[in-house]
């Protein structure tokens, strides 16, 4: 850009223009540098703070004693087994209503969720789920809302998507994804027994089982639900949820069958469950969903399997 010519009349102004431009470049690079420094420092602060909140095993055992399972029919619940479990044990408001973003962050850090990514997801959710009130000003629809009710997370297209492991598609009865469908969890359980009995993985639900279970749900929706929709973003989100289930709720790509039932069916912390030793890392966030993605594409199960899983 520095060599742009301004025609013969402007030749005398060439030098001042150049100097102005390098001045502008200088200011821009200082500005970008400051923004980058600010971003890096913010991320470091979030990472250090988030990681320091992960509960060591001894402290978790004490903490969970003070947070028994209690659930009322009128409570507001989400399509997320983890958030519902946190609410069922009072780590966030048991009612599931008026929950601040910070409350969710603090609760998720106890379990070793990745701090910066959690902040990002919460920002996305609290911004995208803010509705525009026609009685208020045009600008009032922008920015983040103060609090969230968990059942707002059932709104399609923000995080909620079709082909979940434990919920029906929203266009299929019961037209709500707040509660798990027990049959789907029984199916996951039976699938693990069918393939793993007699092997070293007996009694355990593995990543391969997840790929097969998810593929079955996908085949099923694709065949029987004319209104199903699973875009690329949702496929990617599903692969991430695969790792959340097996590496944060479960451990190292596995979860025991009693834990699977406890978290997915009852949405309760098992008595003998412990949080991760270390916070879920950014490397894991890149690698593990890819493993899930590939695994699902490689899975060879067909709808015939459904009969064997009832
Ligand atoms: C420790 C962190 C988390 C874990 C372990 C976790 C776990 C999971 C799992 C396993 C699923 C899949 C359920 C299924 O397929 O039936 C899921 C779905 C979901 N999660 Fe979470 N989650 C976490 C954080 C969050 C956060 C921070 C939010 C938003 C505030 C969220 C919102 C959702 C939603 C809306 C779904 C439904 C997606 C669908 O339609 O299947 N989750 N989560
Ligand atoms: C697998 O083993 C369990 C006991 O560990 C048993 O209850 C179940 O019926 C077996 N399932 C299959 C499909 O073999
Ligand atoms: C789930 O809840 C039912 C009913 O309260 C209970 O009988 C069962 O033992 C629970 N199962 C798990 C795995 O927590």
């Amino acid at each position: 850009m520095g060599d742009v010519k301004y025609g013969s009349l402007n030749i005398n102004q060439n030098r001042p223009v150049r100097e102005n431009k390098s001045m502008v470049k200088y200011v821009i690079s200082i500005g970008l540098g400051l923004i980058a420094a600010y971003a890096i420092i913010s991320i470091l602060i979030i990472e250090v703070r988030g990681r320091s909140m992960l509960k060591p095993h001894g402290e978790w055992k004490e903490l969970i004693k003070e947070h028994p399972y209690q659930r009322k029919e009128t409570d507001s619940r989400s399509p997320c087994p983890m958030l519902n479990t946190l609410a069922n044990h009072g780590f966030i408001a048991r009612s599931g209503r008026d929950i601040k973003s910070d409350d969710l962050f603090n609760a998720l850090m106890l379990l070793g969720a990745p701090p910066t990514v959690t902040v990002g997801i919460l920002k996305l959710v609290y911004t995208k789920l803010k509705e525009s009130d026609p009685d208020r000003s045009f600008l009032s629809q922008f920015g983040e809302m103060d609090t969230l009710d968990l059942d707002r997370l059932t709104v399609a297209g923000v995080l909620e998507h079709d082909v979940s492991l434990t919920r029906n598609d929203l266009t299929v009865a019961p037209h709500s994804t707040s509660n798990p469908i027990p049959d789907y969890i029984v199916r996951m359980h039976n699938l693990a027994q069918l393939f793993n009995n007699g092997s070293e993985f007996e009694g355990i639900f593995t990543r391969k089982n997840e790929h097969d279970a998810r593929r079955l749900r996908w085949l099923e929706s694709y065949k029987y639900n004319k209104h199903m929709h699973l875009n690329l973003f949702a496929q990617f989100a599903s692969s991430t949820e695969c790792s959340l289930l097996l590496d944060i709720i479960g451990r190292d790509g596995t979860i025991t069958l009693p834990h699977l039932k406890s978290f997915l069916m009852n949405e309760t912390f098992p008595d003998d469950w412990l949080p991760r030793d270390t916070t879920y890392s950014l490397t894991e966030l890149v690698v593990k969903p890819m493993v899930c993605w590939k695994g699902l594409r490689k899975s060879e199960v067909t709808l015939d399997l459904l009969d064997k899983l009832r």
Side-chain angles (χ1 to χ4, degrees):
M1 291 293 272
D3 289 336
V4 175
K5 292 283 183 287
Y6 290 87
S8 51
L9 280 177
N10 284 346
I11 275 176
N12 289 341
Q13 287 171 6
N14 235 353
R15 259 190 47 201
V17 166
R18 279 238 175 96
E19 270 168 19
N20 272 347
K21 287 214 165 153
S22 59
M23 189 64 190
V24 168
K25 271 191 194 162
Y26 180 69
V27 170
I28 288 178
S29 55
I30 293 260
L32 288 179
L34 284 176
I35 291 171
Y38 176 77
I40 290 169
I41 290 171
S42 306
I43 288 175
L44 278 177
I45 291 174
I46 294 170
E47 285 294 319
V48 170
R49 195 167 83 87
R51 279 159 201 268
S52 73
M53 291 160 81
L54 172 63
K55 280 287 158 207
H57 293 172
E59 285 180 37
W60 173 262
K61 284 183 189 153
E62 291 307 311
L63 191 66
I64 191 71
K65 278 187 205 149
E66 297 155 17
H67 289 80
Y69 175 94
Q70 271 164 34
R71 166 84 154 90
K72 286 212 273 304
E73 206 48 54
T74 50
D75 293 337
S76 168
R77 288 294 178 263
S78 77
C80 177
M82 191 72 255
L83 300 186
N84 291 355
T85 302
L86 287 168
N88 288 342
H89 287 263
F91 288 104
I92 50 176
R94 289 183 185 275
S95 67
R97 296 191 176 83
D98 302 321
I99 298 173
K100 293 200 181 73
S101 177
D102 273 354
D103 299 340
L104 276 178
F105 179 82
N106 294 345
L108 290 164
M109 290 311 109
L110 299 173
L111 315 176
T116 311
V117 179
T118 302
V119 167
I121 291 174
L122 292 174
K123 277 245 180 306
L124 176 93
V125 165
Y126 279 71
T127 307
K128 282 198 126 190
L129 284 176
K130 181 165 184 171
E131 291 304 321
S132 169
D133 177 349
D135 280 338
R136 296 188 57 206
S137 76
F138 170 74
L139 288 178
S140 68
Q141 67 188 296
F142 299 108
E144 269 183 74
M145 45 183 193
D146 297 327
T147 64
L148 171 80
D149 290 358
L150 288 183
D151 59 0
R152 285 282 298 157
L153 288 167
T154 65
V155 171
V158 176
L159 289 183
E160 157 60 32
H161 55 76
D162 283 348
V163 192
S164 306
L165 288 171
T166 63
R167 266 64 174 174
N168 254 340
D169 299 349
L170 268 176
T171 44
V172 173
H175 303 289
S176 158
T177 52
S178 283
N179 294 305
I181 306 282
D183 280 354
Y184 288 151
I185 296 128
V186 170
R187 184 196 288 179
M188 291 164 79
H189 185 270
N190 291 352
L191 185 145
Q193 290 196 331
L194 180 70
F195 289 126
N196 305 350
N197 268 13
S199 83
E200 57 178 318
F201 296 116
E202 180 153 348
I204 289 173
F205 186 85
T206 64
R207 233 188 265 285
K208 174 152 190 326
N209 297 149
E210 201 277 352
H211 306 153
D212 291 345
R214 178 89 62 180
R215 184 185 182 86
L216 265 184
R217 286 281 302 117
W218 196 346
L219 291 170
E220 196 177 29
S221 276
Y222 188 76
K223 177 156 183 193
Y224 297 114
N225 179 11
K226 187 181 175 188
H227 304 285
M228 76 85 90
H229 184 62
L230 191 72
N231 63 18
L232 203 56
F233 175 78
Q235 293 168 41
F236 176 73
S238 301
S239 303
T240 307
E241 288 154 19
C242 156
S243 176
L244 294 179
L245 175 65
L246 297 173
D247 301 299
I248 292 187
I249 298 178
R251 221 42 46 84
D252 302 324
T254 63
I255 183 168
T256 66
L257 293 182
H259 283 194
L260 183 85
K261 272 200 160 168
S262 177
F263 275 106
L264 298 187
M265 188 113 80
N266 295 24
E267 299 189 328
T268 179
F269 284 107
D271 291 335
D272 61 346
W273 184 83
L274 293 168
R276 293 168 56 97
D277 295 313
T278 56
T279 293
Y280 190 90
S281 70
L282 280 179
T283 319
E284 283 181 274
L285 187 73
V286 175
V287 174
K288 291 186 170 162
M290 277 326 280
V291 175
C292 289
W293 176 283
K294 279 195 203 149
L296 186 150
R297 306 290 331 180
K298 272 200 214 141
S299 162
E300 288 173 345
V301 298
T302 62
L303 281 174
D304 302 337
L305 181 60
L306 285 182
D307 292 332
K308 293 189 204 149
L309 300 179
R310 274 185 244 279

